[in-house]
């Protein structure tokens, strides 16, 4: 089925006026924007080679940040998922760079994700490295709702969900894959019944795991027995819809997610850092 997932249209540059026209069309599709943030200083200042020293200095190593902890390859609807607070440096050293020894094997440690963090609001120096773009103000309301920072370990996972805003997510370090589905895909995604999460799919696994050909299912012991078959059936129908696509981001690239479109994200084989913007 992987071959049935189309790749989003890729363009190197787009002006604010062109983006406005695209979003104002009869049906705005996702876009892979390869050069939108090419001038951002963060692309050279935030580096894994120095363990994100540029970010540490801008944020402050002792800054308390909220981290999402949970079972690897599971989303925030999983019962083991929780939010905890810890120092910024502690998070990076323990969960991103494995600098703190643990008696527990790495494979058994939870995944820790600094997700949709408002760090830019409290650190002007950090914000200077990822300056706001005029593209964020071309919506009907000309308003930027929120900009957030994401720092995750290898194979981080955010389940399918939808937002009431247009989104542009930009990868700064590492790589990430987005799977994007049109609003009508809801009928195939089993949205949660929880009041706080009616915008989130109950599909509990990354698309790559659902489509994996491996016969090893030991990692699925916490899920219903027929989960792979069920999810494969759901995704086959969802990805047959017009506009459904995948976007593979490298450092310096962005994805445009139209308002109300479902999207899931998977980190690559190493740590990743990105910045998201939501606007109308």
């Amino acid at each position: 089925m992987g071959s049935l997932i189309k790749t989003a249209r890729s363009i190197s540059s787009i002006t604010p006026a062109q983006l406005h026209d695209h979003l104002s069309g009869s049906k705005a599709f996702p876009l892979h924007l390869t050069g939108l943030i090419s001038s951002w200083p963060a692309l050279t200042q935030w580096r894994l080679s120095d363990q994100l020293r540029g970010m540490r200095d801008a944020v402050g190593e002792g800054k308390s940040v909220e981290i999402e902890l949970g079972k690897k390859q599971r989303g925030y609807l999983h019962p083991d998922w929780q939010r905890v607070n810890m120092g910024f440096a502690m998070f990076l050293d323990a969960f991103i760079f494995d600098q703190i020894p643990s008696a527990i094997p790495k494979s058994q440690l939870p995944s820790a994700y600094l997700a949709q963090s408002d760090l830019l609001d409290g650190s002007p120096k950090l914000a200077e490295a990822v300056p706001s773009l005029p593209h964020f103000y071309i919506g009907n309301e000309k308003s930027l709702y929120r900009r957030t920072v994401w720092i995750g370990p290898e194979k981080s996972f955010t389940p399918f969900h939808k937002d009431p805003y247009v989104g542009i997510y930009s990868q700064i370090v590492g790589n990430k894959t987005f799977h994007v589905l049109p609003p009508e895909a809801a009928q195939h995604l089993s949205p949660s019944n929880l009041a706080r999460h009616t915008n989130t799919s109950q599909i509990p696994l990354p698309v790559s795991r659902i489509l994996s050909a491996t016969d090893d299912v030991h990692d699925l012991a916490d899920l219903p027995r027929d989960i792979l078959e069920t999810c494969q059936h759901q995704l086959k129908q969802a990805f047959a819809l017009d506009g459904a696509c995948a976007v593979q981001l490298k450092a310096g690239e962005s994805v445009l997610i139209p308002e109300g479109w479902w999207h899931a994200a998977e980190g690559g084989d190493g740590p990743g850092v990105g910045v998201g913007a939501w606007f109308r």
Side-chain angles (χ1 to χ4, degrees):
M1 183 190 135
S3 61
L4 298 180
I5 301 179
K6 298 179 177 65
T7 300
R9 178 188 171 198
S10 180
I11 57 177
S12 60
S13 63
I14 189 169
T15 67
Q18 289 171 334
L19 180 57
H20 177 271
D21 290 344
H22 176 76
L23 293 173
S24 300
S26 58
K27 187 170 186 179
F29 289 125
L31 293 175
H32 180 191
L33 306 170
T34 60
L36 185 68
I37 62 165
S38 59
S39 64
W40 277 8
L43 294 173
T44 55
Q45 294 177 1
W46 300 356
R47 301 182 299 269
L48 295 180
S49 60
D50 65 5
Q51 299 187 338
L52 296 177
R53 173 52 54 192
M55 297 194 78
R56 291 173 188 257
D57 291 345
V59 173
E61 299 219 355
K63 170 73 174 178
S64 179
V65 292
E66 187 176 73
I67 305 300
E68 297 183 358
L69 277 180
K71 180 178 172 62
K72 289 181 171 67
Q73 300 279 277
R74 299 294 184 271
Y76 49 79
L77 294 184
H78 192 273
D80 290 347
W81 181 89
Q82 60 180 314
R83 294 181 186 272
V84 300
N85 288 290
M86 65 179 68
F88 186 56
M90 174 68 75
F91 160 67
L92 293 177
D93 291 341
F95 293 102
I96 301 300
F97 296 110
D98 300 321
Q99 296 295 304
I100 299 179
S102 173
I104 302 174
K106 184 179 178 181
S107 62
Q108 297 179 23
L109 289 172
S111 176
Y113 198 2
L114 186 146
Q116 54 186 357
S117 171
D118 292 315
L119 284 177
L120 296 176
D121 295 341
S123 174
K125 185 177 179 181
L126 194 72
E128 287 173 5
V130 288
S132 187
L133 301 175
H135 302 71
F136 302 155
Y137 299 92
I138 52 79
N140 292 330
E141 298 181 6
K142 305 292 189 294
S143 63
L144 174 63
Y145 165 64
R146 190 180 181 197
R147 296 186 72 207
T148 58
V149 174
W150 304 69
I151 305 177
E154 63 178 2
K155 301 188 184 305
S156 60
F157 170 55
T158 302
F160 277 109
H161 64 285
K162 63 177 182 176
D163 301 310
Y165 302 92
V166 179
I168 291 181
Y169 176 93
S170 300
Q171 195 72 18
I172 309 298
V173 174
N175 53 77
K176 179 174 282 191
T177 298
F178 279 77
H179 291 96
V180 190
L181 298 167
E184 58 267 28
Q187 61 185 313
H188 307 303
L189 297 179
S190 302
S192 171
N193 294 320
L194 298 174
R196 287 183 56 203
H197 296 300
T198 55
N199 70 328
T200 301
S201 167
Q202 294 183 83
I203 291 179
L205 297 165
V207 174
S208 63
R209 179 64 185 92
I210 294 171
L211 304 184
S212 171
T214 179
D215 292 328
D216 185 1
V217 295
H218 75 281
D219 62 322
L220 306 179
D222 58 316
L223 298 174
R225 182 172 181 176
D226 297 327
I227 190 66
L228 284 182
E229 292 82 355
T230 299
C231 292
Q232 286 168 357
H233 176 71
Q234 289 176 287
L235 292 186
K236 183 176 181 179
Q237 297 178 82
F239 278 105
L241 297 172
D242 192 27
C245 62
V247 181
Q248 295 183 336
L249 296 181
K250 297 182 294 186
E253 299 181 344
S254 310
V255 56
L256 169 73
I257 302 169
E259 179 180 335
W261 282 59
W262 297 84
H263 51 287
E266 301 178 37
D269 293 331
V273 180
V275 173
W278 287 268
F279 57 92
R280 279 178 170 165

